[in-house]
Amino acid sequence: MSSTLWTTSYQSSGKIIRATAALAGVPVQLAVGYEHYVDNKKPEFLSKFPHGKIPALEQPDGFKLFESTAIARYVASLAPNAGLLGKDLKEAALIDQWIHLTETELDQYTTLAYQLVNSVITPYNKPFHNLVIERQKRTLKTLNDHLASRTFFVGERITLADIYIASQLRRAATVTFDAATRTEFSHLTRHLETIINQPQLKDIYEPIDFVEKPLQYVPPAKEKKEPKPAAVPAPKAEKKPKTAENDEEEEPDVPAAPKVKNPLDDLPKSTFNLEDWKRQYSNNDTRGAGGSLEWFHQNFDPAGFSVWRFDIELPTAYQHFVDNK
């Protein structure tokens, strides 16, 4: 009898389990009519899987499991002759090593990049976005270099590590793994095509909608403010004639202080808008064509602002701390 898997057609971690079952020859069927964010909040689902997460697996004997890595390893272990967990303990440890690396250093950065450009994480921060891409490329290089003289990550046949890496790279190919990056890391691209085009897996992975350029953040258009209707002037209160009776009441106890003029009021209005500068600095690279410094030099108003440079001499002990961070 088949186990039942709750997932969606597009969930990357669900594809990992489905691919594992297909290569292992373990029968797994998808939950019929499952609707995400609806069915996983119902009492009958939560009674089986209290955290409400997918993917989730239930076997005919009532055994239940959630969390994708646990499910994938369990499914692979049901068919030891398939070799998806390696031929010995050393290979099993290497498989876990590559899975953990790609979960924490590849897929995590795909998620962060997607959330940044789609305003899930706000406000958008260009330097942080650049750091995410830089960290992910470091991982891509490690994976690519390992494949320079290998077809698969561990041993001479497909293992769970290959399924994991190809599935997570397939997801990255729709967000950050663009044409230039695919060319730069050609061994990884070859490995991705090898895994997803296995006859048993073609229906699971489907064609990839590769991005030609990484997804980029597009600032929302500024809302046009409607001019406020002119306020109707309030009728002036009629002045009471000054009499001897109210003369004393109208005199203030302390004379009003003379209004001091702000000397900056005499300066001409500057064309340099600090709010525009902050947006440029946050949303663009600092240097290079189209960078925030280029915009700064084009728009800076020396008549209204000045730029200062400070050279700070740090105490010796603090300097030693900074140099060794």
Side-chain angles (χ1 to χ4, degrees):
M1 293 179 68
S2 296
S3 299
T4 301
L5 178 68
W6 282 265
T7 183
T8 63
S9 60
Y10 54 82
Q11 188 183 33
S12 178
S13 53
K15 290 179 186 294
I16 291 170
I17 298 165
R18 293 163 61 197
T20 301
L23 290 176
V26 175
V28 170
Q29 65 178 12
L30 300 182
V32 178
Y34 173 75
E35 185 180 354
H36 196 40
Y37 296 122
V38 176
D39 292 336
N40 59 316
K41 295 181 179 180
K42 292 179 178 177
E44 52 266 36
F45 185 92
L46 294 173
S47 67
K48 297 178 180 181
F49 310 104
H51 203 52
K53 283 183 66 176
I54 61 167
L57 182 81
E58 182 178 17
Q59 287 196 295
D61 64 0
F63 177 67
K64 303 173 189 66
L65 200 60
F66 61 91
E67 288 299 326
S68 59
T69 306
I71 298 172
R73 284 189 61 82
Y74 176 71
V75 170
S77 71
L78 296 176
N81 291 336
L84 294 177
L85 296 178
K87 66 177 186 290
D88 55 32
L89 290 176
K90 289 182 179 178
E91 284 197 356
L94 288 171
I95 290 167
D96 284 344
Q97 165 193 279
W98 291 115
I99 289 174
H100 184 70
L101 176 70
T102 51
E103 280 186 325
T104 57
E105 302 283 339
L106 174 64
D107 197 49
Q108 174 179 276
Y109 293 130
T110 300
T111 300
L112 282 173
Y114 179 85
Q115 291 176 338
L116 279 166
V117 301
N118 286 283
S119 297
V120 178
I121 297 175
T122 57
Y124 176 75
N125 186 293
K126 182 66 174 177
F128 178 60
H129 190 182
N130 288 343
L131 179 64
V132 166
I133 300 302
E134 179 187 317
R135 292 286 179 85
Q136 188 179 68
K137 283 197 172 183
R138 175 173 174 249
T139 307
L140 293 174
K141 183 180 186 310
T142 300
L143 299 172
N144 191 71
D145 290 349
H146 183 74
L147 286 175
S149 58
R150 298 172 177 84
T151 303
F152 305 111
F153 274 90
V154 180
E156 302 300 325
R157 59 192 296 182
I158 294 176
T159 67
L160 193 57
D162 300 292
I163 298 171
Y164 251 90
I165 293 168
S167 298
Q168 291 173 346
L169 196 62
R170 181 189 182 280
R171 180 169 176 253
T174 65
V175 182
T176 56
F177 196 53
D178 65 325
T181 311
R182 294 194 296 273
T183 301
E184 181 180 355
F185 301 112
S186 57
H187 304 309
L188 259 183
T189 305
R190 178 257 304 163
H191 177 268
L192 171 63
E193 297 286 356
T194 298
I195 302 303
I196 66 174
N197 286 308
Q198 294 294 309
Q200 307 98 307
L201 307 184
K202 278 191 173 182
D203 290 341
I204 295 171
Y205 286 112
E206 305 164 345
I208 304 175
D209 189 14
F210 285 108
V211 291
E212 287 304 304
K213 295 284 185 184
L215 299 186
Q216 296 294 328
Y217 173 73
V218 178
K222 290 183 180 178
E223 293 183 10
K224 290 184 178 179
K225 292 184 178 179
E226 295 291 332
K228 291 182 180 179
V232 179
K236 290 183 180 180
E238 187 180 343
K239 273 192 175 183
K240 293 181 181 179
K242 205 168 186 181
T243 64
E245 292 178 3
N246 62 22
D247 182 55
E248 191 174 327
E249 294 176 7
E250 292 177 4
E251 286 294 330
D253 292 337
V254 180
K259 190 175 180 181
V260 180
K261 185 178 180 182
N262 188 334
L264 297 179
D265 292 342
D266 293 333
L267 294 175
K269 187 175 180 181
S270 176
T271 58
F272 186 68
N273 188 307
L274 286 174
E275 292 300 320
D276 288 344
W277 163 238
K278 284 193 286 186
R279 277 190 288 272
Q280 289 291 327
Y281 185 77
S282 297
N283 297 336
N284 297 306
D285 290 326
T286 304
R287 295 177 174 80
S292 58
L293 281 182
E294 181 181 77
W295 184 93
F296 180 85
H297 288 297
Q298 291 172 352
N299 294 274
F300 182 67
D301 171 25
F305 291 87
S306 60
V307 178
W308 293 73
R309 168 180 166 172
F310 291 88
D311 293 320
I312 302 173
E313 186 175 340
L314 296 173
T316 305
Y318 185 74
Q319 182 65 54
H320 177 77
F321 170 76
V322 172
D323 291 343
N324 288 279
K325 276 186 75 176

